[in-house]
Amino acid sequence: MDDFIRAHAYVAIRLPSDALKLVQIVPNTTISLGKYGAFQTNHILGRPYYLTFEILDRVEAIELSSLRVISAAESYSHVNDDDYASPGQDEAGDARTEGGSVEYEILSHEGKVLMRTNRDIIDDSGSQKLTMSEIEALKREETGSGRDLIAKILESHTALDQKTTFGLEKYTLRKAKKYLRRFTVLPVDPPQLLNWVLNEKEPGKVMEMRDELLALISSWSNVHYGATTEKKTRDEEAFGGKWLVVDETGGMLVAAIAERMGVLYPPQENDTGNQCARTQLEVNGATDQSAALDGPIKPVPHSIEIQTTSMSAETNTITIIHHNTQPNLSLLTYFDFDPTSPNLSHPLHTHLKAVSWLQLLSPNEDSGYTEPDFIAEETLQTLKSGKKGNYYRKRRRWERVKAVVDATRAGGFDGLVVASAMDPATILHHTVPLLRGGAQVVVYSPSIEPLAELADCYSTARRTAFQTDPSGSIDFPNEDFPLNPTLLLSPAIYTARCKAWQVLPGRTHPLMTGKGGAEGYVFTATRVLPAEGKVEARGLNKRRKLVDVSSASPGSQPASGA
């Protein structure tokens, strides 16, 4: 991941309302944030992430607004230790108002007032003197980047002195989220992208998967970096890292796995200064880059050497199984990878492989797996350049498809990760035999019912009945054994949900604004290699006679087994 904002990269802009907006940083363009204003992309190019900017007021000589970096001290300048003291309490700690009514209701064991009640406060629209037309007129003046407007709104509130410290803080924060013209630039990573899809787009596109469930899937699948440039033998190939994926979340699951494997982001250049100079040249519209740079451009390091052959990596790979002409990986475009026109320098161009279900189960019925007609070299010389290029292109595509399909059918994968609306039992029936021993199997489902049925297929009772069958051979899948229960061990179902809580004395409870939707569950198991035939424990177990020492004669010796 880049450390600073680059040209043509996607970034996540967090608005004061905590909403996310994903935009592409194209030089010499303007990004509009709706009611918060607009700014030029050139003002944030080359700057580090996680900075908070404030959109300044427009100057008559300048058409667009400029930006100002907000420091962390300024962002939290309103927070201090005295903000959370209970207001209105005198030195003696009296908890009564002038009229004698109780103003505080929460007391400590020593009788000290902890918090004031607001049961008698009626906060209606009449407490605000400013009308909506007057507020809109103040917004059009655009003074103080929204700070002056918030100050005037607070001054015009007649019941502000009646609010508790916590109530006043909530009211001020609500107005700041509505009128303060600030934003924070964040990098786009899988959790950030997932939250954006869940909250701003269609949750069903990612099967309502939350970021904590995505982390749970990545952890249980044991996905890790395992790249190597050396060609290993068949026995050593298991340590290279190959994962089998069935993804129907638009590429979100593939993005999370690729990030842990180190192949999600495009390669970076070591020379930051040269990259900033390229960005500045692109912004200014310069054409002679070599003359404008202070020093020579350093080549790409050998560790990120570009490989132009698609799906050519042998280790540290992701093989996705899909049921269409090509897999749906639309969300990978936010990581500078488009499957329809891939970037040749992107690691996913070589480390991401795609296989259809038809190619996996019946490869001979797929047209891409069928070898095209061979044309002799003498005949090729007589063909036109267009037909000759078309022939070589078909041959290269057939060789690539055949190599990927044969490698997938050979098996030896380190793990299986599934997020699909299909029946998981039908998926595992064909994919579990492709895993090596000790591989992890992880299946995600929005509801628990499909995973409960899947866990029952690999339960201890079914495995015992399968192994103790008198006939010795069972034809499956059948009604009693839809799957081979001896292939997976220790099936379990997990779920996780992080809830936000309000923590206050006497008012601690989960926030009522949490998002609903599917709970989401994860099935996990371990691939094992069952022993062929029946295994029985055998050995010499000679029982020795024990002699009671108390009843034995004085000269006798106790038995050796006593």
Side-chain angles (χ1 to χ4, degrees):
M1 183 185 296
D2 294 331
D3 299 328
F4 55 90
I5 303 172
R6 296 177 181 263
H8 303 287
Y10 281 91
V11 299
I13 296 180
R14 185 173 60 196
L15 302 176
S17 60
D18 293 335
L20 288 178
K21 183 181 180 67
L22 262 65
V23 296
Q24 187 178 18
I25 306 301
V26 180
N28 303 318
T29 58
T30 303
I31 296 178
S32 176
L33 301 181
K35 65 179 181 180
Y36 299 105
F39 65 94
Q40 277 192 329
T41 56
N42 299 350
H43 293 162
I44 64 175
L45 277 173
R47 294 182 179 270
Y49 287 103
Y50 301 101
L51 287 181
T52 300
F53 299 90
E54 183 178 76
I55 302 178
L56 300 178
D57 303 330
R58 280 189 246 177
V59 184
E60 296 182 358
I62 304 177
E63 182 180 356
L64 294 176
S65 303
S66 56
L67 301 178
R68 183 176 71 91
V69 179
I70 303 299
S71 62
E74 182 179 355
S75 300
Y76 298 97
S77 59
H78 63 286
V79 179
N80 52 67
D81 296 337
D82 299 333
D83 285 345
Y84 298 97
S86 299
Q89 182 181 1
D90 55 12
E91 296 179 358
D94 189 8
R96 295 184 177 273
T97 60
E98 298 178 357
S101 62
V102 177
E103 186 180 4
Y104 300 93
E105 64 176 357
I106 302 178
L107 303 177
S108 63
H109 296 287
E110 295 81 7
K112 185 179 179 181
V113 176
L114 297 179
M115 184 172 295
R116 184 175 61 188
T117 178
N118 57 0
R119 66 174 62 181
D120 297 331
I121 299 177
I122 301 176
D123 192 5
D124 54 2
S125 58
S127 301
Q128 180 58 251
K129 295 181 179 180
L130 290 177
T131 61
M132 287 302 301
S133 59
E134 293 174 346
I135 294 177
E136 292 296 330
L138 293 174
K139 287 172 60 177
R140 287 192 292 268
E141 294 179 3
E142 295 185 355
T143 57
S145 298
R147 295 189 302 272
D148 296 345
L149 176 60
I150 296 173
K152 291 180 181 180
I153 292 177
L154 294 178
E155 291 175 1
S156 304
H157 200 287
T158 58
L160 201 64
D161 56 341
Q162 301 178 8
K163 292 181 177 294
T164 62
T165 302
F166 181 69
L168 179 60
E169 185 70 19
K170 284 187 7 179
Y171 182 79
T172 307
L173 181 60
R174 188 164 64 248
K175 298 305 177 184
K177 289 182 177 182
K178 190 173 183 180
Y179 298 112
L180 203 59
R181 299 203 303 271
R182 291 180 180 179
F183 65 92
T184 305
V185 183
L186 306 174
V188 177
D189 52 9
Q192 199 77 261
L193 181 61
L194 182 60
N195 290 327
W196 175 71
V197 175
L198 285 177
N199 300 322
E200 308 297 335
K201 294 297 180 179
E202 301 178 6
K205 188 175 183 180
V206 292
M207 300 180 64
E208 301 186 69
M209 183 189 302
R210 301 184 305 277
D211 53 351
E212 54 264 30
L213 286 173
L214 187 64
L216 191 66
I217 293 173
S218 302
S219 299
W220 275 109
S221 58
N222 194 25
V223 178
H224 57 275
Y225 178 77
T228 177
T229 56
E230 300 179 359
K231 194 170 183 179
K232 295 188 175 184
T233 61
R234 181 65 180 174
D235 296 335
E236 297 175 336
E237 195 175 289
F239 299 96
K242 300 190 305 179
W243 274 266
L244 198 61
V245 180
V246 181
D247 185 7
E248 293 185 8
T249 62
M252 178 57 64
L253 195 60
V254 173
I257 295 175
E259 185 185 34
R260 294 176 67 95
M261 297 175 65
V263 295
L264 178 60
Y265 304 102
Q268 304 180 23
E269 296 183 5
N270 293 337
D271 193 356
T272 306
N274 286 338
Q275 176 62 27
C276 294
R278 288 189 183 89
T279 303
Q280 187 65 28
L281 287 172
E282 188 173 359
V283 168
N284 298 334
T287 55
D288 191 2
Q289 298 186 7
S290 59
L293 292 175
D294 295 334
I297 300 176
K298 295 183 179 181
V300 179
H302 179 69
S303 59
I304 54 175
E305 182 179 357
I306 297 176
Q307 301 181 12
T308 57
T309 305
S310 177
M311 308 180 187
S312 60
E314 297 182 359
T315 57
N316 202 41
T317 60
I318 303 173
T319 303
I320 179 172
I321 306 177
H322 58 93
H323 55 271
N324 296 322
T325 306
Q326 58 184 6
N328 179 16
L329 303 174
S330 58
L331 294 179
L332 293 182
T333 56
Y334 295 101
F335 303 100
D336 196 20
F337 181 77
D338 187 2
T340 57
S341 57
N343 183 7
L344 300 184
S345 62
H346 201 286
L348 288 178
H349 178 63
T350 56
H351 292 270
L352 179 60
K353 303 180 180 182
V355 176
S356 66
W357 284 106
L358 180 62
Q359 294 173 345
L360 179 65
L361 303 180
S362 301
N364 295 327
E365 299 180 7
D366 183 70
S367 58
Y369 190 82
T370 305
E371 181 180 5
D373 297 334
F374 178 77
I375 301 178
E377 187 66 24
E378 297 79 5
T379 309
L380 280 175
Q381 300 301 329
T382 60
L383 297 178
K384 295 182 179 180
S385 58
K387 293 184 178 181
K388 187 186 302 184
N390 189 23
Y391 171 76
Y392 285 124
R393 185 164 54 252
K394 288 182 178 180
R395 294 289 300 185
R396 287 194 300 267
R397 181 180 181 275
W398 167 75
E399 292 174 355
R400 181 177 67 251
V401 171
K402 181 176 175 56
V404 172
V405 172
D406 292 345
T408 304
R409 291 171 60 87
F413 289 92
D414 295 87
L416 170 65
V417 186
V418 179
S420 173
M422 300 171 57
D423 185 6
T426 59
I427 296 177
L428 267 60
H429 175 66
H430 301 286
T431 54
V432 168
L434 301 178
L435 305 179
R436 66 175 180 86
Q440 295 296 320
V441 177
V442 179
V443 182
Y444 166 79
S445 176
S447 57
I448 195 175
E449 288 78 11
L451 301 185
E453 296 178 1
L454 184 63
D456 180 66
C457 294
Y458 293 102
S459 62
T460 304
R462 288 184 184 270
R463 183 167 57 253
T464 303
F466 184 85
Q467 294 175 342
T468 58
D469 181 70
S471 60
S473 61
I474 299 177
D475 296 331
F476 64 90
N478 54 43
E479 184 178 356
D480 295 331
F481 300 98
L483 296 171
N484 188 349
T486 62
L487 297 184
L488 292 184
L489 196 64
S490 302
I493 300 176
Y494 299 92
T495 186
R497 179 184 284 271
C498 298
K499 298 181 180 180
W501 284 63
Q502 171 185 288
V503 182
L504 285 174
R507 288 190 288 176
T508 299
H509 59 79
L511 295 181
M512 304 306 176
T513 57
K515 186 177 180 60
E519 182 69 19
Y521 298 89
V522 176
F523 168 87
T524 63
T526 304
R527 172 76 161 99
V528 292
L529 302 178
E532 298 181 358
K534 294 185 178 181
V535 179
E536 298 179 358
R538 295 180 178 273
L540 298 177
N541 189 13
K542 184 178 181 181
R543 300 185 64 182
R544 299 175 182 270
K545 183 178 181 181
L546 301 180
V547 179
D548 190 359
V549 180
S550 59
S551 61
S553 60
S556 61
Q557 298 293 333
S560 60

